[in-house]
Amino acid sequence: RSPSMTSSSLRDGGPGSLPKFAYRVDAHLAEGAVFGELTTLGCRRTRGASVACDTICDLRIIPQQAIVDAIDKDPSLLPRLLGLAKSSGFCMPSLTDDWCKLHFFSGLSSAFIARFKGMLSQSKAIKGQYIDTDDTFLILIHGHVSIELDGRLLTDWAAPVVLGELAVVQPGCHNLLTVRCHSFCVWLSVPAARLLRLFQDFPEDRDTFEERARESLQALMGRVNHSPRHRVAPEDPVHEGGNVEDDPDHLGEAEIQVFLEAFQKVFQDSDPRFCDYLVHGMERTIYFDGHEILKEGDEGNYAIIVQRGSALVEVGGVRVGEVKEGGLIGESVLLGISSVRTATVRAVGVVSAFTLAQVTVLEALEMFPEEKKRIESMVKIREQANKVLTGAEPSPAGCGGASGVDV
């Protein structure tokens, strides 16, 4: 079998041999033998031996995803599979308190750390399983994981590392990013609610802990820029240049569908060909809690569609509205009416958004001039909403948000 195969095999007839090297037979497999489980479960990264059939053999292939699905339905299967791995020579990793040496925990009092340790519970997962980080703070102490959004790889981490910081920074906020195991993983976790109660007894440690959580999120922001189509604020989200054909992370059908679904919420009555054209000129941007999506007074040449999450709109530091999923902000920029932002838009939790460059829209409007009237009408409606909200004449320099407030 190829070393890259991610499946286990159950032999159903015929003798087989298990050579570790080309000319040495290390073992023989009888009917009913299972092999390939260590790599499939993520206990090791590569195959430890080659299997050669002595006769015609009837094999049953068990795909890795089938094993993952089975464990998700019946978690009691996991210890049984790990027992199978142990019988094949897998040694469970020795777990220590080395995670305490992470920078994240520096500066915390020994009393806090002692109480914190007592609250942690241990969990395990095999390769391909997802780790739930909603309302949970985690410490990965063994293994390798990937951070994904809509099934698309953003970055990866190896133990030891802290995960689930958002549960500390923004309790109760749904985490749009998913964590998937790329090997056998072990982690320690504590519900955010219990951690917050612990903070009541250690207010100074709480400040340090939250500061470390924000630093950790900033580090994640620095690594999530995995491809030109995945920008992380505060970098300029408008991608210039680059050949899609030369980009290994170019848009796939699944991602195009995600873009179209977001577009359809904003341009419901538009020509589908207009939306298709725009999709190939936009890219996803990820913002973390509290980050400025748009800043009052800044110049800009792009608009933003909020795919997931929400954001607050502020003028002069005062909250005046909210942008929700499917909201378009900055449409006046698309028409060239203005290039100056008249409000600040700040992310609440993790926000997944799509940036749409002005140059792309102007090119599309030349091909579909009837769409310009739709966008102009949208701007006028937002301006009327602004007048009601602010009690003043709306400024033509603004860009409409989902809340009706200029940005």
Side-chain angles (χ1 to χ4, degrees):
R1 309 284 309 174
S2 167
S4 63
M5 290 290 288
T6 54
S7 60
S8 293
S9 300
L10 179 65
R11 191 175 164 283
D12 193 35
S17 59
L18 184 65
K20 279 192 174 178
F21 300 100
Y23 302 104
R24 191 185 82 188
V25 176
D26 186 68
H28 289 275
L29 300 177
E31 292 184 7
V34 175
F35 59 92
E37 68 278 8
L38 292 182
T39 310
T40 302
L41 298 178
C43 298
R44 59 181 302 161
R45 300 187 66 178
T46 59
R47 302 294 190 190
S50 298
V51 177
C53 295
D54 291 336
T55 65
I56 295 177
C57 293
D58 185 8
L59 304 175
R60 297 293 182 264
I61 308 298
I62 307 175
Q64 181 190 67
Q65 189 57 49
I67 298 176
V68 170
D69 292 342
I71 294 175
D72 290 341
K73 292 180 180 179
D74 183 5
S76 67
L77 290 175
L78 180 57
R80 294 165 60 185
L81 288 169
L82 293 178
L84 176 64
K86 289 180 182 179
S87 67
S88 299
F90 173 64
C91 295
M92 291 292 293
S94 57
L95 305 180
T96 66
D97 290 339
D98 286 348
W99 55 267
C100 293
K101 300 176 183 178
L102 290 172
H103 171 69
F104 189 99
F105 299 101
S106 63
L108 297 173
S109 68
S110 57
F112 175 84
I113 291 293
R115 289 271 300 275
F116 178 70
K117 285 182 180 179
M119 300 170 63
L120 297 172
S121 59
Q122 184 185 120
S123 301
K124 304 181 183 70
I126 67 167
K127 182 179 180 180
Q129 284 191 283
Y130 286 90
I131 299 177
D132 184 8
T133 59
D134 275 347
D135 297 322
T136 306
F137 180 82
L138 307 97
I139 308 168
L140 183 69
I141 56 177
H142 177 81
H144 175 251
V145 298
S146 63
I147 310 299
E148 301 177 356
L149 179 64
D150 292 328
R152 192 171 178 86
L153 175 67
L154 300 180
T155 187
D156 50 26
W157 294 107
V161 67
V162 167
L163 302 169
E165 306 92 327
L166 189 64
V168 177
V169 176
Q170 190 73 22
C173 180
H174 174 59
N175 195 343
L176 300 180
L177 304 180
T178 56
V179 180
R180 186 163 67 95
C181 299
H182 270 261
S183 69
F184 171 67
C185 292
V186 183
W187 67 92
L188 303 174
S189 63
V190 57
R194 292 192 63 192
L195 188 56
L196 293 178
R197 287 196 295 270
L198 177 62
F199 285 153
Q200 294 176 4
D201 297 333
F202 299 91
E204 293 184 1
D205 289 296
R206 173 176 186 157
D207 294 340
T208 302
F209 204 98
E210 291 180 346
E211 180 183 351
R212 295 287 187 272
R214 291 189 176 88
E215 289 175 357
S216 187
L217 283 176
Q218 290 292 331
L220 177 60
M221 290 170 61
R223 294 189 59 175
V224 166
N225 192 14
H226 177 71
S227 76
R229 293 193 175 273
H230 281 92
R231 295 290 180 186
V232 178
E235 296 179 11
D236 181 2
V238 179
H239 174 55
E240 298 180 358
N243 189 341
V244 168
E245 295 180 356
D246 297 332
D247 179 11
D249 296 308
H250 69 274
L251 292 176
E253 291 184 6
E255 190 161 29
I256 288 177
Q257 185 59 37
V258 171
F259 286 6
L260 285 175
E261 288 175 359
F263 257 24
Q264 288 168 359
K265 293 181 181 179
V266 178
F267 303 106
Q268 301 180 44
D269 303 319
S270 295
D271 189 323
R273 295 173 299 172
F274 175 70
C275 293
D276 288 342
Y277 187 92
L278 294 182
V279 160
H280 293 279
M282 64 192 301
E283 62 186 48
R284 171 177 282 148
T285 308
I286 300 171
Y287 302 90
F288 288 90
D289 181 64
H291 194 88
E292 292 179 347
I293 299 176
L294 299 177
K295 184 176 182 180
E296 184 176 0
D298 281 359
E299 293 188 356
N301 58 357
Y302 60 90
I304 291 178
I305 297 175
V306 176
Q307 182 214 5
R308 292 186 181 180
S310 61
L312 299 180
V313 181
E314 302 172 353
V315 176
V318 178
R319 175 179 172 178
V320 296
E322 182 180 8
V323 183
K324 298 183 178 180
E325 291 185 4
L328 172 67
I329 49 180
E331 63 265 32
S332 291
V333 167
L334 299 182
L335 299 178
I337 296 175
S338 172
S339 62
V340 179
R341 314 296 190 187
T342 58
T344 295
V345 181
R346 197 180 306 276
V348 177
V350 178
V351 174
S352 172
F354 299 132
T355 59
L356 183 56
Q358 179 193 63
V359 62
T360 301
V361 174
L362 295 179
E363 290 174 356
L365 291 177
E366 291 183 3
M367 301 174 61
F368 303 92
E370 66 279 3
E371 297 299 334
K372 185 174 183 179
K373 296 180 180 179
R374 297 183 190 277
I375 299 179
E376 288 176 340
S377 176
M378 188 185 304
V379 172
K380 290 180 180 179
I381 292 174
R382 297 289 169 80
E383 287 179 345
Q384 291 300 319
N386 292 341
K387 185 176 181 180
V388 173
L389 287 171
T390 62
E393 291 296 328
S395 168
C399 314
S403 60
V405 180
D406 280 348
V407 287

